[in-house]
Each structure stands twice: as structure tokens, then as C-alpha cells.
Amino acid sequence: MGILDFLGNAAGVKTMQTGADVFIHRHTRVVTFNLPTQWRDHANKLVKERFQQQLVQSEMDAALLKLAVFWTCAMQSDPARAEQIADAMYDLRTAAGGGITPGLSLEVMGFTGH
């Protein structure tokens, strides 16, 4: 992999991560910047890994994946926030209008129940 491929991949990852946050902010009541840094870092790391494996195809996919990570973290420490994030996953799917990769959506649904 050359330097241009590396830079292109890094830019793609950052675009996917930031685009997911924007999509979450526009279509749900969750404000990702108010969540704990550890949650956001974990979610961004997972989006990066899935993007590099070409399992995340769009910002909508990345947003759903991030919400699943946030939900998992919240279930351990803040069940009320977990419910808000579960509602956000529903809102996100509705706003995406079928634009989320079906395999990813089913995986998240199987893992979280939402």
C-alpha cells in the first residue's frame, strides 16, 4: 500500500466517523459529544476496523454501529440512557429508509435486541 492509499484510507475512515456523528445528531436525540470519551473512542475504533474490512458501507451503517456500541456501554452503567439510545437506533433505521446494509442491521438487532 502506497502513501496515497494510506492517506485515502485514513481520510475515508475519518469521513465515515464524522459523518456517522452528523447523521446521529440530525435524526436522533442522542448528542454523541455528550457521551463519555471512552464510549466514543471505542465506537470510532470499531467503525475504523469495519470500514477497513469493507463491512461498513456508508455513514448510516457507521451511525448504527456507533449507537450499538453506545447502547452496550450504557447498559452497564446507565440503563435510562440505554433506552434513549435504543430509541435512537429505531429513529435512525426509520430515517435511513432502507439505506443501512441489511447484514449489519440484523447483526446489531441480534446483539442488542433493538
Side-chain angles (χ1 to χ4, degrees):
M1 175 181 350
I3 189 71
L4 292 178
D5 291 333
F6 174 77
L7 291 174
N9 191 27
V13 167
K14 195 63 178 169
T15 299
M16 196 66 63
Q17 292 168 338
T18 305
D21 288 332
V22 169
F23 201 77
I24 290 169
H25 293 168
R26 283 189 181 161
H27 299 289
T28 73
R29 295 181 181 188
V30 174
V31 179
T32 59
F33 303 114
N34 290 342
L35 298 174
T37 303
Q38 303 90 329
W39 296 11
R40 294 190 327 263
D41 290 346
H42 182 66
N44 281 332
K45 180 180 176 187
L46 190 58
V47 167
K48 177 182 177 181
E49 290 170 1
R50 293 290 183 104
F51 178 76
Q52 289 173 336
Q53 297 169 356
Q54 298 180 346
L55 298 173
V56 169
Q57 303 294 321
S58 69
E59 288 86 357
M60 292 178 276
D61 288 353
L64 183 61
L65 189 59
K66 281 186 161 195
L67 287 173
V69 170
F70 299 153
W71 179 86
T72 303
C73 295
M75 284 300 289
Q76 297 172 10
S77 61
D78 189 353
R81 187 177 277 178
E83 271 307 308
Q84 179 188 19
I85 294 169
D87 291 343
M89 284 190 268
Y90 174 79
D91 294 342
L92 187 75
R93 282 189 174 97
T94 302
I100 297 173
T101 303
L104 176 67
S105 186
L106 289 172
E107 180 183 353
V108 167
M109 194 176 295
F111 183 73
T112 64
H114 299 283

